Amino acid sequence: MKKEIIINAGANETRIAITEDGRLAELFVETANKEKMVGDIYLGKVAKVMPGIKAAFVDLGLGQDGFLHFSDIGNRFEEYSAMIGDDDDQGEEGEKEGDPSLVGTHPGEEPGRHPHDAARPSTPPPSNNGGDHHSQHRAPHREVKLEKGQEIIVQITKEPVGKKGVRVTSEVSLAGRFLVLLPFDGKIGISKKISSFKEKRRLRKIVQPILPEGFGVIIRTVAEGKDDSSLTNDLKDLVDTWREVEKTVKSEKSPCLLYKDMSTTSSVIRDLFSNDVSRVVVDSRKLHKEIRAYIRYTSVQLLDKIELHRDKRPIFDVYEIEKEIETTLARKVWLKSGGYLIIDPTEAMVVVDVNSGRYAAKKEQEQNSLRTDMEAAREICRQLRLRDIGGIIVIDFIDLDDERNKRKVFDELKKEFRRDRAKVTVLPMTEFGLVQITRQRIRQNILHSFTEKCPACGGTGLVQSRTTTINQIERWIRRFKGETSEWRIIVKVNPQLADSLRVGTFSRLRKLRFKFRLWITLETDPAVAIGEFRCFSSRQGKDITELYK
């Protein structure tokens, strides 16, 4: 599989596209007002403890409090908390249970999982997908002592989604090119993607003697074959960074930012640019120079794979990425067979409907349905990665009668999801042809980077009918006339609604005037939604809409 990283750097927006065999597989967007937050470390203050939901809310100074579930608090929490305001540096020691993989090193990652690494220093083996939720391998029942006002060091693991704030963990980590430093864990883990036992032993022998006491580390996949100096320098940089974090903890008051992780572009290069990437193409000279400087310091053998885009045409047009981005915004996605997908996000889940798109002869119905479902399974996996859709996904496949064919679709989904770095769980197809999937969610899906809610419908896709709104205006006037002696008002409505009120010789507006013996001055305002209206008192000169609603 040919894998490429294409980077388009604009004045206010940077877009990173990852292609597989020439097709867009993943897309990351970073703008000036939407910076990556995952991986940032804060000194927070506990704002509220809620034992009923086994969670606490932590004030990070972000407007919305961070959500800290008790399962995201390490077993040595009390010991590491000692470093806050302590001059004896006792907080270095600690032991972190659960998945010690890098927390939030990648813009599309779920906490406790790293793009290339699923290392686990504990005895239990890793999962098939190369990552696990935090709660696995953690003691199921453990008393957590948190108090309101208590200071705590946390790391962001999920971006804010909708009205929900960030999710945080007390199990912090720092990512480097070859290593992941675990300040409160004394264990050494190695990526399971390094299959050679001799290589694992060699890497462990390099790291173990130079690892400071009380620290843990994960050896990443890209460390395979690297010499002593590369690992030593990477570890030194990480430890120095953590020492700076410790100094900040003792000098600053909560809430405050202790450590800012790399930007989206830098983290993609750090985490995803490895030997399996055929090339990186970037259209910014400045960014090209920065990437080369970083790779020259960490992986000099990859320098020749970094290219500067010199074509006058936009880089995403040259590699036909712009056209594919348009499909990520579309509700309907066409399949080569003539079928299509309908992707509908809801509050609780994302629903995908698979349609054949054309009539199939009855005698071939099962095979045609299977062919469409198999193609749909591959495209759905791609769309989920591309749109970065997380949470619960329910897919309504075309009905299949043969259980063996249902199994084929299920197996195809599992096979395609092996390319996905996010943790995915797929359940077998039900008798109704439904497949239920959960996919790790760390940020809002890519649509939120390009779109915003419609001011008219509020994101529902539906607006109130004009007739309903006119009837609401009439009821408002009835209440107004019943409680006041005023006889003149100003009504502001959307221009389209104004047309409906004025149409005809004996218009609805004229009827309202005669019916209620009220002089109504109708004004148009495009800022007023079609399903809304505002009423002003001519005598008082103020908005009185809410008084009589």
Side-chain angles (χ1 to χ4, degrees):
M1 179 177 65
K2 184 181 178 182
K3 190 173 180 180
E4 297 178 327
I5 299 176
I6 313 297
I7 303 175
N8 168 225
N12 300 309
E13 179 185 68
T14 300
R15 299 182 296 175
I16 306 103
I18 298 175
T19 64
E20 295 175 353
D21 294 329
R23 294 196 73 194
L24 183 62
E26 294 182 68
L27 179 68
F28 306 106
V29 180
E30 186 173 52
T31 58
N33 61 339
K34 287 187 179 180
E35 291 186 350
K36 171 176 166 283
M37 299 174 67
V38 171
D40 294 352
I41 301 176
Y42 281 82
L43 175 61
K45 182 178 290 186
V46 177
K48 188 185 296 183
V49 180
M50 304 184 70
I53 61 173
K54 297 182 179 179
F57 290 90
V58 183
D59 179 12
L60 305 176
L62 299 176
Q64 284 180 305
D65 293 339
F67 178 81
L68 174 64
H69 195 270
F70 289 171
S71 64
D72 291 320
I73 298 177
N75 282 351
R76 299 290 288 277
F77 169 67
E78 289 79 6
E79 292 186 30
Y80 103 76
S81 295
M83 73 172 286
I84 301 175
D86 186 357
D87 293 330
D88 296 330
D89 290 339
Q90 296 173 356
E92 295 175 11
E93 297 188 5
E95 182 174 333
K96 182 174 71 173
E97 298 297 330
D99 193 338
S101 305
L102 176 59
V103 177
T105 61
H106 186 273
E109 287 301 326
E110 180 72 7
R113 175 164 166 69
H114 190 271
H116 290 290
D117 304 318
R120 194 176 293 281
S122 52
T123 304
S127 69
N128 293 334
N129 282 323
D132 296 273
H133 290 296
H134 277 177
S135 57
Q136 297 179 3
H137 308 309
R138 231 190 232 112
H141 300 290
R142 181 171 56 85
E143 184 180 358
V144 175
K145 295 180 180 179
L146 279 179
E147 296 178 358
K148 183 177 179 180
Q150 179 179 347
E151 291 187 328
I152 181 173
I153 300 173
V154 293
Q155 186 168 36
I156 294 179
T157 59
K158 278 188 182 179
E159 302 277 1
V161 179
K163 295 181 180 179
K164 298 178 181 178
V166 297
R167 181 159 182 166
V168 299
T169 178
S170 71
E171 300 179 318
V172 300
S173 61
L174 294 178
R177 174 67 174 169
F178 308 113
L179 305 171
V180 179
L181 183 69
L182 309 174
F184 309 120
D185 193 326
K187 300 177 181 177
I188 297 177
I190 302 178
S191 169
K192 74 168 189 176
K193 291 189 176 182
I194 300 177
S195 55
S196 170
F197 176 76
K198 289 184 178 179
E199 179 63 11
K200 287 182 178 181
R201 186 172 58 182
R202 185 187 74 86
L203 293 171
R204 186 182 293 272
K205 285 184 176 180
I206 293 174
V207 172
Q208 202 162 23
I210 59 175
L211 187 64
E213 185 179 353
F215 283 75
V217 73
I218 294 172
I219 302 173
R220 302 178 60 182
T221 308
V222 289
E224 187 172 10
K226 297 300 177 183
D227 56 21
D228 299 31
S229 61
S230 298
L231 300 182
T232 301
N233 291 336
D234 200 32
L235 180 60
K236 182 181 181 300
D237 291 342
L238 292 173
V239 173
D240 289 345
T241 300
W242 180 250
R243 298 302 185 197
E244 290 300 318
V245 170
E246 289 181 321
K247 290 179 182 178
T248 307
V249 168
K250 295 168 183 177
S251 62
E252 298 290 335
K253 293 183 178 180
S254 63
C256 70
L257 177 67
L258 300 177
Y259 168 76
K260 179 69 180 173
D261 197 20
M262 288 182 169
S263 65
T264 300
T265 305
S266 300
S267 62
V268 166
I269 295 299
R270 178 191 66 193
D271 300 333
L272 301 183
F273 187 22
S274 55
N275 292 325
D276 63 338
V277 175
S278 58
R279 63 174 173 169
V280 173
V281 188
V282 58
D283 62 358
S284 164
R285 291 183 180 275
K286 179 182 177 182
L287 195 55
H288 175 260
K289 185 177 180 180
E290 291 175 359
I291 293 173
R292 285 186 62 87
Y294 175 72
I295 293 301
R296 184 180 290 110
Y297 176 70
T298 59
S299 305
V300 68
Q301 78 281 3
L302 299 177
L303 268 179
D304 293 339
K305 294 185 177 183
I306 306 171
E307 300 178 13
L308 176 64
H309 178 72
R310 302 179 185 276
D311 198 313
K312 292 183 179 180
R313 292 178 298 164
I315 187 170
F316 273 21
D317 288 349
V318 171
Y319 293 93
E320 299 183 348
I321 294 172
E322 208 70 65
K323 292 180 180 178
E324 294 202 58
I325 291 177
E326 293 178 7
T327 67
T328 68
L329 305 177
R331 178 172 176 259
K332 179 184 285 189
V333 179
W334 286 97
L335 305 174
K336 290 182 180 179
S337 63
Y340 60 90
L341 309 175
I342 298 293
I343 303 175
D344 277 328
T346 71
E347 184 69 21
M349 65 186 71
V350 173
V351 181
V352 183
D353 187 27
V354 181
N355 295 281
S356 60
R358 61 186 180 186
Y359 175 77
K362 187 174 182 180
K363 63 180 180 180
E364 299 176 353
Q365 184 174 349
E366 181 77 6
Q367 286 304 311
N368 286 338
S369 297
L370 175 62
R371 192 178 303 113
T372 303
D373 281 348
M374 293 289 280
E375 184 182 358
R378 291 187 286 271
E379 184 61 27
I380 287 169
C381 294
R382 175 174 172 266
Q383 288 293 328
L384 295 184
R385 292 177 60 200
L386 183 55
R387 300 175 187 230
D388 203 10
I389 293 175
I392 300 173
I393 301 108
V394 176
I395 306 170
D396 181 13
F397 282 101
I398 301 173
D399 290 341
L400 297 170
D401 296 325
D402 194 329
E403 290 296 328
R404 291 175 297 180
N405 290 337
K406 292 182 179 180
R407 184 72 192 182
K408 287 181 181 178
V409 175
F410 175 64
D411 290 340
E412 187 69 15
L413 282 170
K414 290 203 300 181
K415 185 188 79 172
E416 289 297 315
F417 274 127
R418 291 193 189 109
R419 298 185 182 186
D420 199 340
R421 294 189 306 278
K423 171 73 174 178
V424 180
T425 301
V426 186
L427 298 182
M429 187 180 292
T430 69
E431 57 183 319
F432 298 115
L434 302 177
V435 172
Q436 302 166 74
I437 298 172
T438 61
R439 185 175 183 271
Q440 290 177 328
R441 174 164 53 197
I442 194 167
R443 57 174 182 165
Q444 294 177 332
N445 70 58
I446 201 68
L447 288 179
H448 292 278
S449 298
F450 296 106
T451 62
E452 58 186 28
K453 282 187 177 181
C454 169
C457 70
T460 65
L462 301 170
V463 294
Q464 186 171 280
S465 70
R466 299 178 195 181
T467 301
T468 301
T469 307
I470 292 172
N471 291 336
Q472 287 179 343
I473 293 174
E474 183 174 345
R475 288 192 290 271
W476 186 95
I477 293 174
R478 187 182 300 276
R479 287 189 288 269
F480 171 76
K481 286 293 292 182
E483 298 180 27
T484 181
S485 59
E486 291 188 47
W487 59 276
R488 296 183 63 174
I489 62 169
I490 300 169
V491 179
K492 285 188 178 182
V493 296
N494 186 276
Q496 296 183 40
L497 186 62
D499 293 340
S500 298
L501 283 165
R502 289 173 175 149
V503 68
T505 304
F506 203 61
S507 65
R508 290 292 298 269
L509 177 60
R510 181 171 294 183
K511 288 179 181 179
L512 290 172
R513 286 172 176 169
F514 277 101
K515 183 176 181 178
F516 296 102
R517 297 185 180 184
L518 180 71
W519 183 254
I520 303 171
T521 302
L522 192 64
E523 295 183 359
T524 60
D525 186 353
V528 179
I530 294 176
E532 296 289 338
F533 63 92
R534 309 302 302 173
C535 296
F536 296 82
S537 168
S538 297
R539 187 173 68 186
Q540 302 176 51
K542 66 178 184 179
D543 189 339
I544 57 174
T545 312
E546 298 302 323
L547 295 177
Y548 304 101
K549 263 196 171 183

